[in-house]
Amino acid sequence: MKVEDFEFLSRLLKERSGLVVTKDKVYLLETRLMPVARRSGLKDLDELIQKLRTGRDDKLLNDVTEAMTTNESLFFRDTRPFDIFRDNVLPGMMKARAGQKKIRIWSAACSSGQEPYSLAILLKENQAKVTGWRFDIVATDLSKEIVAKAKAGLYTQFEVQRGLPIQLLVKYFKQTGDKWQIDAGLRSMVQYGEFNLLTHPRSLGQFDVVFCRNVLIYFDQPTKKKVLEGIADVMAKDGVLYLGGAETVLGVTDRFKPVQGLRGVYQRVDGEAAIEMG
């Protein structure tokens, strides 16, 4: 790939999605964008880039962005964050909200739905403790295609084998041909929508818990700061933010501080006293 073409694509992706593509990822551009070129009736990447440069084909721009920003996910990814949610965050949140009995959760960059469905399963498994409570799980992703897949809740054998205990598979999924579909009741617990994290999230409302895991690693520092500060703006004063194991707020923004003893969990610096964590 020519240097000027790489620079054009990397600039385009940064502007549209915040994704930073370094020069060692040229192979990724080629492997993910060639299928887009073929589906669009273009013979190669040169023709694709030439068409993108005109800036007049919104569908092609969207297809290219989606191809580069669709990342894999798995059920109960890393396990520990979900244990912390069940054992520490949830009890503290319920104590603080005993009067209203409502908790709003945002799964940002939800990919194909494994994270929000894992949360729905966790709540269902703890039904006795949360009876009478309302949980709104809002899940968003930049990709229209991946949001449609998440809504359908239909997964391959390979996808359900990754992180999902067999007893939960049997309990909450039914086999449909060679795939597995999550229970309709669990699907109804999650509200899916398209959303670009480069946009301020005020339109989504306020949240008590935000999962934004393994997303910031794809952004540069100014973009990380912008995304985190937008999240801070829509979090309850005692709200809780989850980041991925390789991510941190330190050196990025002063709007959050780590919750002592709970790795990957953060709270607003300017908020009220931290809720009792379990």
Side-chain angles (χ1 to χ4, degrees):
M1 183 180 291
K2 291 182 242 180
V3 173
E4 58 268 30
D5 287 343
F6 169 79
E7 289 175 350
F8 167 74
L9 284 173
S10 60
R11 189 166 58 250
L12 177 76
L13 289 164
K14 171 77 164 50
E15 288 170 357
R16 290 180 62 85
S17 69
L19 179 69
V20 174
V21 182
T22 51
K23 289 179 181 176
D24 61 327
K25 294 291 192 297
V26 169
Y27 75 94
L28 201 58
L29 285 169
E30 294 172 343
T31 55
R32 290 198 180 184
L33 296 186
M34 267 310 296
V36 176
R38 292 194 192 100
R39 285 199 305 270
S40 303
L42 305 169
K43 66 179 182 181
D44 54 27
L45 280 184
D46 288 342
E47 209 167 284
L48 174 73
I49 292 165
Q50 187 177 346
K51 194 163 184 181
L52 286 171
R53 284 184 185 278
T54 68
R56 291 192 293 269
D57 191 330
D58 287 341
K59 184 182 183 308
L60 187 61
L61 284 166
N62 288 337
D63 288 348
V64 165
T65 306
E66 289 196 6
M68 291 305 301
T69 55
T70 300
N71 301 297
E72 67 169 6
S73 186
L74 57 152
F75 289 97
F76 295 98
R77 185 173 185 173
D78 303 328
T79 309
R80 180 73 179 138
F82 296 94
D83 291 343
I84 290 173
F85 179 77
R86 181 193 62 219
D87 300 335
N88 303 95
V89 174
L90 190 55
M93 281 280 167
M94 290 176 71
K95 184 175 180 180
R97 285 151 179 72
Q100 63 197 73
K101 292 189 180 299
K102 179 183 175 183
I103 293 174
R104 294 193 83 226
I105 304 168
W106 179 21
S107 172
C110 67
S111 192
S112 44
Q114 286 94 327
E115 179 177 87
Y117 285 141
S118 294
L119 289 167
I121 289 171
L122 187 153
L123 291 169
K124 205 74 171 172
E125 285 290 285
N126 290 271
Q127 187 71 50
K129 295 179 184 177
V130 302
T131 298
W133 282 75
R134 175 178 168 181
F135 291 89
D136 292 339
I137 304 175
V138 177
T140 65
D141 200 274
L142 174 66
S143 167
K144 182 178 182 178
E145 182 181 332
I146 211 73
V147 166
K149 174 179 167 61
K151 277 183 183 176
L154 202 59
Y155 300 96
T156 63
Q157 183 71 39
F158 174 72
E159 288 171 320
V160 295
Q161 282 176 335
R162 302 183 71 205
L164 188 67
I166 185 68
Q167 68 270 25
L168 295 182
L169 173 64
V170 172
K171 191 172 181 179
Y172 294 115
F173 289 74
K174 66 176 180 181
Q175 197 153 15
T176 305
D178 61 348
K179 294 189 176 180
W180 292 84
Q181 187 165 40
I182 195 164
D183 176 76
L186 287 170
R187 293 204 306 275
S188 70
M189 290 176 67
V190 184
Q191 304 161 27
Y192 284 102
E194 293 170 55
F195 185 77
N196 190 332
L197 284 173
L198 298 187
T199 306
H200 195 285
R202 63 177 63 85
S203 63
L204 301 177
Q206 188 180 78
F207 295 96
D208 302 299
V209 184
V210 178
F211 283 77
C212 188
R213 301 174 60 225
N214 307 300
V215 182
L216 299 182
I217 51 174
Y218 298 104
F219 298 155
D220 61 16
Q221 288 291 92
T223 306
K224 289 177 184 177
K225 181 180 174 69
K226 179 181 179 179
V227 170
L228 285 170
E229 295 188 351
I231 290 172
D233 289 342
V234 297
M235 274 182 57
K237 287 192 173 182
D238 60 354
V240 173
L241 168 67
Y242 274 87
L243 297 181
E247 298 166 328
T248 183
V249 301
L250 302 176
V252 182
T253 177
D254 58 5
R255 296 285 301 277
F256 288 99
K257 62 183 177 183
V259 175
Q260 194 169 2
L262 300 181
R263 188 181 173 207
V265 181
Y266 302 84
Q267 287 188 307
R268 278 175 46 170
V269 166
D270 62 344
E272 298 167 350
I275 60 173
E276 182 182 344
M277 302 303 285

